[in-house]
Amino acid sequence: MAVGWFYLSFYSLWFLGLMCIILTIYWVQLWHGGFAWDGTLLMFNYHPVFMVVGSVVLYTSLLYRLPQSWVGPKLPWKIGHAMLHLLAFILTVLGLVAVFQLHRRSRITNLYSLHSWLGIVTVFLFACQWFLGFVVFLLPWMSVWLRSLLKPIHVFFGVVILSLSIASVISGINEKLFFSLNNATQPYSNLPSEAIFANSLGMLVVVFGLLVLYILLVSSWKRPEPGILTEGQPLLRDGE
Amino acid sequence: MAVGWFYLSFYSLWFLGLMCIILTIYWVQLWHGGFAWDGTLLMFNYHPVFMVVGSVVLYTSLLYRLPQSWVGPKLPWKIGHAMLHLLAFILTVLGLVAVFQLHRRSRITNLYSLHSWLGIVTVFLFACQWFLGFVVFLLPWMSVWLRSLLKPIHVFFGVVILSLSIASVISGINEKLFFSLNNATQPYSNLPSEAIFANSLGMLVVVFGLLVLYILLVSSWKRPEPGILTEGQPLLRDGE
């Protein structure tokens, strides 16, 4: 498939991701009073922002889909991939801290809703994925055999974790709106402006996820395996 | 990959699917009074059951992964695929009717939550997918060119619709539990038995979805394209 179409999809993805982040910040800034690292509801506001930035947008850097990463030494790209995901993971953990701190201060039970169960399982898988990926693919003494054994599992769980993150974000926005739009004058069911805004944000996160799935599935955009001449290479050749 | 492993995954999927259905029925039967087609909350109880049966389990019949479908005439398998999805779609629509009837009778606004926005978009995509699939792949006068153009799109949206269905189910269970476990003695945050049961059901639906993703991604379990000898065929040959 043409190089132009790849870059259009790739930059659309980053544009969509940026929009998701901006709209999440705008949502909590405009309707929930902004941010403060103080254990109150203002601290909770970091939760949706860090989760969207960390576990969805930064998580989906798709570095290896860039044809530039297919030539020359692989190590710098591997380090970039690991560093971006480490940053995404740190932000995700900060997102967890934001909600746990609010719960601690307000004596709210941790991890009772399905949203939180799904979310915490996703973060746990993310931690395992990063740690195993670091040990197996970055530490120099690992065997090629072990790397090629883990690679399809690493790729599979890469998609799994993103899917679970997006399902967590959707259930999280839904849950938050039922919490915050629960007064008689402005119930969620009247679709006040916040409801329309945050529902649209949720749908945008879904569109982002579907675009990721599309980019991942186009076989000619995949990094060709070393030594294998496949249909996967026209993109690189077109681009040269 | 070995035939035995394929059948183990395939039957595990059906077992998991069956468990999801049984646990959904058990949930609404035990904690929400069972079923009645009368516009009350008992009618609403059909909603989660029909959605899990129709848009998740029956939807994921994966007929074309069965090696038996790769040999002999394709038409009976295409008709089977279309019929199973038509049945899944009808159940999904009945699931919608169940909730719209409750809303009409109880004067509750339709389609305000993010769960409902995502759900209705999913059902709309399902309708388009079935209709286009029927017209292009089953009506005899469609050109081979058009069929091969639509096929990757049909496969892509097949996965998309299942992913959106599962995200809808997760946000739906979460929403339902916030509605029903909202009294002071048994709040959701105390994790009463219903909360643990329905959260676990949600996690089981997620595991079902991940197993589908796994089965779909194993390249040697894909139906080989006619005339193309690929790695995709050992399964059939092993099984003969």
Side-chain angles (χ1 to χ4, degrees):
Chain A
M1 222 173 278
V3 178
W5 187 243
F6 167 76
Y7 281 106
L8 183 66
S9 307
F10 196 79
Y11 290 128
S12 300
L13 186 73
W14 276 99
F15 173 75
L16 269 180
L18 208 61
M19 286 300 296
C20 289
I21 295 171
I22 291 169
L23 295 185
T24 310
I25 295 172
Y26 190 81
W27 172 33
V28 290
Q29 186 70 51
L30 193 69
W31 282 284
H32 296 281
F35 306 92
W37 199 259
D38 60 359
T40 68
L41 271 168
L42 295 183
M43 182 163 175
F44 173 85
N45 289 344
Y46 282 109
H47 176 67
V49 174
F50 283 164
M51 288 316 190
V52 168
V53 179
S55 74
V56 178
V57 181
L58 265 187
Y59 178 90
T60 320
S61 48
L62 294 184
L63 273 191
Y64 291 140
R65 283 299 182 282
L66 283 171
Q68 292 83 347
S69 75
W70 303 352
V71 286
K74 199 174 174 183
L75 190 64
W77 292 95
K78 284 169 95 168
I79 294 172
H81 180 82
M83 287 301 109
L84 264 174
H85 283 89
L86 182 61
L87 183 60
F89 183 70
I90 291 170
L91 286 170
T92 303
V93 170
L94 286 176
L96 282 188
V97 171
V99 71
F100 281 122
Q101 281 294 90
L102 169 75
H103 285 185
R104 197 176 59 83
R105 184 142 157 182
S106 307
R107 298 178 189 279
I108 299 169
T109 318
N110 285 315
L111 302 171
Y112 66 87
S113 73
L114 177 55
H115 158 70
S116 65
W117 282 30
L118 186 63
I120 205 74
V121 166
T122 309
V123 177
F124 174 74
L125 287 176
F126 191 177
C128 297
Q129 170 89 338
W130 195 90
F131 179 74
L132 260 176
F134 176 77
V135 169
V136 174
F137 298 112
L138 264 181
L139 295 186
W141 50 80
M142 280 300 154
S143 71
V144 174
W145 173 82
L146 191 65
R147 285 185 181 171
S148 54
L149 184 78
L150 192 71
K151 196 177 164 189
I153 300 169
H154 189 74
V155 170
F156 175 71
F157 274 95
V159 180
V160 163
I161 292 164
L162 179 70
S163 309
L164 300 188
S165 291
I166 290 178
S168 304
V169 166
I170 296 303
S171 54
I173 294 175
N174 207 47
E175 177 175 319
K176 174 70 184 170
L177 291 174
F178 273 106
F179 276 134
S180 60
L181 300 172
N182 66 350
N183 54 65
T185 53
Q186 276 293 58
Y188 194 2
S189 59
N190 275 6
L191 270 180
S193 53
E194 181 188 351
I196 294 172
F197 186 91
N199 280 359
S200 308
L201 166 64
M203 297 306 288
L204 202 70
V205 173
V206 167
V207 172
F208 177 89
L210 299 188
L211 187 54
V212 175
L213 187 65
Y214 171 73
I215 293 175
L216 289 178
L217 283 179
V218 177
S219 61
S220 59
W221 293 351
K222 284 178 191 164
R223 180 189 178 111
E225 290 298 315
I228 299 173
L229 274 171
T230 66
E231 284 180 86
Q233 285 179 314
L235 182 61
L236 182 59
R237 277 191 250 117
D238 287 350
E240 281 173 340
Chain B
M1 224 173 277
V3 178
W5 188 243
F6 167 75
Y7 281 106
L8 182 67
S9 308
F10 195 79
Y11 290 127
S12 301
L13 186 73
W14 276 99
F15 173 75
L16 269 180
L18 208 61
M19 287 301 295
C20 289
I21 295 172
I22 291 169
L23 295 185
T24 310
I25 294 172
Y26 190 81
W27 172 32
V28 291
Q29 185 71 50
L30 193 69
W31 282 284
H32 296 282
F35 306 93
W37 199 259
D38 60 359
T40 68
L41 270 168
L42 295 184
M43 182 162 176
F44 172 86
N45 289 345
Y46 282 109
H47 176 68
V49 174
F50 283 164
M51 289 317 191
V52 168
V53 179
S55 75
V56 178
V57 181
L58 265 187
Y59 178 91
T60 320
S61 48
L62 295 183
L63 272 192
Y64 292 139
R65 284 297 182 285
L66 283 171
Q68 292 82 347
S69 76
W70 304 353
V71 285
K74 199 174 173 183
L75 190 63
W77 292 95
K78 284 169 94 170
I79 294 173
H81 180 80
M83 287 301 107
L84 263 175
H85 283 89
L86 182 61
L87 182 61
F89 183 70
I90 291 170
L91 287 171
T92 304
V93 170
L94 287 176
L96 281 188
V97 171
V99 70
F100 281 124
Q101 282 292 89
L102 168 76
H103 284 185
R104 198 177 60 81
R105 182 139 158 186
S106 308
R107 299 180 188 280
I108 299 169
T109 317
N110 285 314
L111 300 174
Y112 65 87
S113 73
L114 178 54
H115 159 69
S116 64
W117 283 30
L118 187 63
I120 204 75
V121 166
T122 309
V123 177
F124 174 74
L125 287 176
F126 191 178
C128 296
Q129 171 88 338
W130 195 90
F131 180 74
L132 260 176
F134 176 76
V135 169
V136 174
F137 298 111
L138 263 181
L139 295 186
W141 51 79
M142 281 298 154
S143 71
V144 174
W145 172 82
L146 190 65
R147 285 183 180 172
S148 54
L149 183 78
L150 192 70
K151 196 177 166 190
I153 300 170
H154 189 74
V155 170
F156 175 71
F157 274 95
V159 180
V160 163
I161 292 164
L162 179 70
S163 309
L164 300 188
S165 290
I166 290 178
S168 303
V169 166
I170 296 303
S171 54
I173 294 175
N174 207 45
E175 178 175 318
K176 174 69 183 171
L177 291 175
F178 273 106
F179 275 134
S180 60
L181 300 173
N182 65 350
N183 55 64
T185 53
Q186 275 294 57
Y188 193 2
S189 59
N190 276 6
L191 271 180
S193 53
E194 180 187 354
I196 294 171
F197 186 90
N199 281 359
S200 308
L201 166 65
M203 298 306 288
L204 200 70
V205 173
V206 167
V207 172
F208 176 89
L210 299 187
L211 186 54
V212 175
L213 188 66
Y214 171 72
I215 293 175
L216 289 177
L217 283 178
V218 178
S219 61
S220 59
W221 293 351
K222 286 179 189 163
R223 182 190 177 108
E225 289 298 314
I228 298 174
L229 274 170
T230 66
E231 286 181 83
Q233 283 176 316
L235 182 61
L236 181 59
R237 277 192 250 117
D238 287 352
E240 282 172 341

